[in-house]
Each structure stands twice: as C-alpha cells, then as structure tokens.
Amino acid sequence: MARHDLEDGKDTEMEEINDAAPSQTDSTIEKVSVTPATPPAPVADGGVRAWLQVAGSFLVFSNLWGFVFAFGSFQSFYTLDYLPAESASDIAWIGTIGTGLLIFVGILSGPLFDLGYFRSMLIIGGVGETLAMFLLSLCLLYLPGLALVGRSFKKHRSMAMAITTCGAPTGGIIYTLLFQQLIGKLGFAWTVRTMAFFMLGTYAISFPLQLWGASNLGDLASGTKRKMFDPTALRDLPFWSYSFANFFIFTGYMVPFIYLGAYGQTELGLTQTQSLNVLIAAQAASIAGRLIAGYTASKVGVMIPWITAAISSGVFCIAWIGIKSESSLIAFACLFGAFSGPLIPLPPAVFSLVCPDQTVFGARLGMAQAIGSVASLLGAPIAGALLGKGGGRDSYLGLQLFSGLVMIFGGCQLIVLYMLLLRKREVGKLI
C-alpha cells in the first residue's frame, strides 16, 4: 500500500475490490475482511483552534512528565539529605510508581476519551494533581492529551505531537529550577506547595486553551461496545514486537534522569546547584531532540529516527562509564537528552500500523501501555539495586551497563518491528 494512501486514510484495498468486481453481491463483498490502515480522519486538519489545543496540551505535559523529569532533583535530595538511611533503590520507587501509574491508567483513560469524557478527565486530573500531588491523578491526562492533538492534525501530526511532548522537559526544567532555588530558602514542605501553586496556574491556562470552542471532543465509539482486552493481540507478532521494544527501552529510559544528580554530587564532588544544572541541560537538550525528530519523522517516517534514538541512547548510557569531570557529564547529559527525547512522541505515531483494525485499536494500545508501565515501574529501582556500596565511579558501573544494554536491546527489537511491518502490513519503507 502506498504511503500517500496511508496518510490520506484511504481504504485502497476495498476500492480495488469494488472496482474489479462491481457486479458482486453484497454477501460476496461481506466475506472480504479489510480494515483501515490509519485512525479515522481528524475533524479538522490544523487551524488556530488545533494549535491552541497543542499549546494547552503542552502545558498539561509540563505538569505530567515535567514532574517526572524533575524527580532526579528529589532523588538526590532524598538520598543525601532527607532520607539518608534509605537505599537509592527504595527511594527510586517513589518516582517510578508515579511514572508507572501515569502510563498504566491510560488503559482506562483512552476509552473514556473515545467516549467523550475528555473535559471531565482534564478537570478531575488537573485539580486532583494540584491539590494533592497525588500520583494517580497524573494518569487521567497522559494518553487523552496525545489523542486530542492527534485528532486535530493530519498533515502536521508528527510535528504537533513533538511540540506537545516538549512540555515534558520544559516542565522538568521549571520544576527543577523551582526546587533548586527554593529548597534552601523555604524548606521541603513549602517548596512542594509552591510547585502545586504553579500547577494550579498552568492548568487554569490550559483548560480554556483545550476546551474553548472545541468541536473534536465528542464520542468516537458511536454506540459500539469498547474492549478493554483483545485476546487476538496475543497472536499478533507486530504487537508483541512493539510492546517488547518499548518495555526494554523504558526500562532504561528514566535511569539517567533520576540518578545523574546524585552521581554528580557523590562521584564527581559537584554541589547541589551544579548537579541540578546537569539535569536541566539534559532536559533542555530533550526539547531540541523531540523537535528535530518530529520534523525528521515527517520527511522519512517514524521508524528510522525511532531506532536511531533508542540505540544511540543506550550507547550513551554505556559511555557514561567514562565520565570523569563536570564538563564531560554535561556533554553526556546533553547527548542523552537529545537522543532520548524522541522516545516519547514517536511510538504513538506508528501504532496505527501496528494495529490497523480500529475496532480493537484502543484495547491494544492500552495493553501495550500496560506492558510499558511495568518497565517504567521497575527500571530505576533495579538500577538502584545495582549501585555498589564502596563509593567511587565503579559503584555506578552496574547501573550504567544495565540502562545502556536494555535500551540497545529495545532498539534492536525495533529493527525487528520495522521488518515485520514491511512484511505483514504491506506499507512503504518510509514508515
């Protein structure tokens, strides 16, 4: 099937069948099982309203993933000052439980979005997160935010997704700076409360940007009963390849962001401010990486930049072993941030080819996200358990090898996925 047909959302196979046998009876045609290759066309392709929703979703992502990215500052603070008696692995669970829930509860929020409950989820999730910093409330907004932007664009969908997810590292920078500037002046309690007030302000801006005058929030289900679990996915090789690739990639993805701050302080003798600046450099580079990958994906397809990002990120994690100075640590942080950034916006863009059957699209995406959530939950604690006890750079050797090797393995699995899509989905090489 040609790439332009996929982008236009045309069912070319059915057109060819009808053209070749116009006199066939309805019963004969019904025996031919053909499913669309992409999601339903968006209500509108771009426009001011759509870009305002991108801006609103950007702000939502700045709170959702921004707080996750900023957890590295909390990790070093907990490990060295607040909870010094606890192991790094135990402390990492604080952050990874939130990340895992953020992705896992997408199983529920995806179908709810399809049924038209985006307004309710946006308000409940935003207010809940602001009032309580309660990790479960983060989950209500992750997948619907991406789905809303995806429904608003066709031609510039990859770039719109990339801009939206740039809210994550932007929020990470802001929350890290807030922590850096306030923890010594206000103490832990009021630093967190100040972050909550910032969340309140950004959500107050994002709500009208996403909801005002919006016509693309309605029910997509059209009365059809939606599945939460699709057993046929268990027999589909592209689904398993996609899920396994993401599992291994996300097992190692957050490890540098969580441990870089503590590494700088304990192994290189950096101050808390210097180590947090390293985290900010990684998050800033992530913004550039996402934008470049979004533009590249619009030209050469998603798979090539996705594979490049995954394998390169793993290689940089292994190169982390040789870091001996602040300048080299900053260089590593920038490179890892730039190449790992695309690993968030690119996967959803290819899932319509992994699952071309729209009747089970939501169920399979939720299943894939559930598998990925386990990786996000376990990755950083496992890495923390591999930390040596004797001090010195070798104490981080197990952590660095673990994060690098699992990401490289995930990138190799993406090559397998690429080959499966070419063979089983009959798509063009640039996908």
Side-chain angles (χ1 to χ4, degrees):
M1 189 181 296
R3 177 174 174 81
H4 64 83
D5 290 329
L6 288 172
E7 293 176 346
D8 293 340
K10 294 179 180 179
D11 193 343
T12 56
E13 294 182 61
M14 182 60 80
E15 290 176 0
E16 291 171 3
I17 291 170
N18 291 336
D19 291 341
S23 61
Q24 286 181 309
T25 63
D26 291 341
S27 61
T28 302
I29 294 176
E30 288 174 354
K31 294 179 182 179
V32 180
S33 177
V34 179
T35 55
T38 55
V43 174
D45 186 14
V48 175
R49 173 67 265 166
W51 285 110
L52 288 176
Q53 289 181 333
V54 170
S57 297
F58 176 95
L59 293 176
V60 169
F61 262 69
S62 71
N63 289 326
L64 299 185
W65 281 98
F67 208 76
V68 171
F69 276 106
F71 184 74
S73 57
F74 286 88
Q75 176 79 17
S76 59
F77 175 74
Y78 290 152
T79 302
L80 302 177
D81 300 305
Y82 201 61
L83 300 170
E86 302 295 332
S87 70
S89 178
D90 290 340
I91 292 172
W93 283 104
I94 299 172
T96 61
I97 287 174
T99 307
L101 287 174
L102 190 157
I103 301 172
F104 181 79
V105 182
I107 298 173
L108 298 177
S109 62
L112 288 174
F113 173 84
D114 288 345
L115 291 172
Y117 290 103
F118 178 78
R119 290 183 177 89
S120 300
M121 289 190 293
L122 181 66
I123 294 172
I124 293 172
V127 172
E129 182 188 2
T130 302
L131 292 178
M133 293 282 192
F134 186 51
L135 295 174
L136 182 59
S137 66
L138 306 181
C139 314
L140 295 175
L141 302 174
Y142 170 45
L143 287 181
L146 286 177
L148 180 68
V149 173
R151 192 187 285 189
S152 301
F153 291 89
K154 182 167 62 176
K155 182 179 179 181
H156 300 294
R157 184 176 294 160
S158 295
M159 183 55 68
M161 289 281 195
I163 293 173
T164 297
T165 62
C166 281
T170 302
I173 292 171
I174 293 172
Y175 284 120
T176 301
L177 285 172
L178 286 173
F179 186 91
Q180 180 189 88
Q181 297 298 318
L182 300 179
I183 190 66
K185 301 175 183 178
L186 302 181
F188 180 76
W190 271 105
T191 296
V192 174
R193 290 177 189 136
T194 302
M195 291 178 173
F197 281 120
F198 176 80
M199 282 186 182
L200 178 63
T202 53
Y203 276 130
I205 297 172
S206 69
F207 288 175
L209 288 175
Q210 291 183 301
L211 301 178
W212 173 74
S215 59
N216 58 345
L217 305 179
D219 178 8
L220 282 182
S222 302
T224 303
K225 185 177 180 180
R226 300 301 299 271
K227 294 181 179 180
M228 297 296 291
F229 177 79
D230 175 34
T232 63
L234 304 180
R235 302 190 299 271
D236 186 62
L237 287 178
F239 170 81
W240 280 117
S241 183
Y242 175 94
S243 300
F244 280 146
N246 273 328
F247 178 87
F248 287 104
I249 289 170
F250 280 103
T251 296
Y253 173 72
M254 286 303 300
V255 172
F257 288 107
I258 290 177
Y259 290 103
L260 267 179
Y263 177 86
Q265 288 182 257
T266 60
E267 310 306 321
L268 300 182
L270 304 184
T271 65
Q272 183 184 65
T273 298
Q274 289 173 322
S275 65
L276 293 182
N277 286 339
V278 172
L279 291 175
I280 292 172
Q283 294 156 4
S286 181
I287 297 174
R290 292 171 193 231
L291 293 176
I292 293 172
Y295 177 79
T296 303
S298 68
K299 301 298 182 182
V300 302
V302 173
M303 291 304 301
I304 293 176
W306 190 12
I307 293 169
T308 302
I311 294 178
S312 298
S313 297
V315 170
F316 288 130
C317 284
I318 295 176
W320 181 9
I321 297 171
I323 299 299
K324 299 180 180 180
S325 65
E326 180 185 2
S327 58
S328 58
L329 185 63
I330 293 175
F332 160 75
C334 291
L335 288 170
F336 180 80
F339 279 88
S340 66
L343 298 176
I344 297 296
L346 293 182
V350 80
F351 196 77
S352 60
L353 297 177
V354 175
C355 177
D357 185 354
Q358 292 305 299
T359 62
V360 294
F361 183 89
R364 290 195 181 189
L365 181 58
M367 293 165 63
Q369 293 290 343
I371 295 172
S373 70
V374 176
S376 298
L377 177 67
L378 299 178
I382 292 175
L386 296 174
L387 279 173
K389 305 298 183 183
R393 285 184 292 111
D394 288 344
S395 65
Y396 275 79
L397 179 61
L399 177 150
Q400 293 158 335
L401 286 173
F402 170 76
S403 60
L405 290 176
V406 293
M407 295 192 78
I408 291 173
F409 185 81
C412 292
Q413 186 62 45
L414 288 179
I415 298 175
V416 176
L417 173 63
Y418 193 8
M419 296 171 63
L420 285 172
L421 291 178
L422 292 175
R423 182 166 60 90
K424 290 183 172 292
R425 298 297 188 254
E426 298 181 358
V427 294
K429 292 183 179 181
L430 298 181
I431 58 174

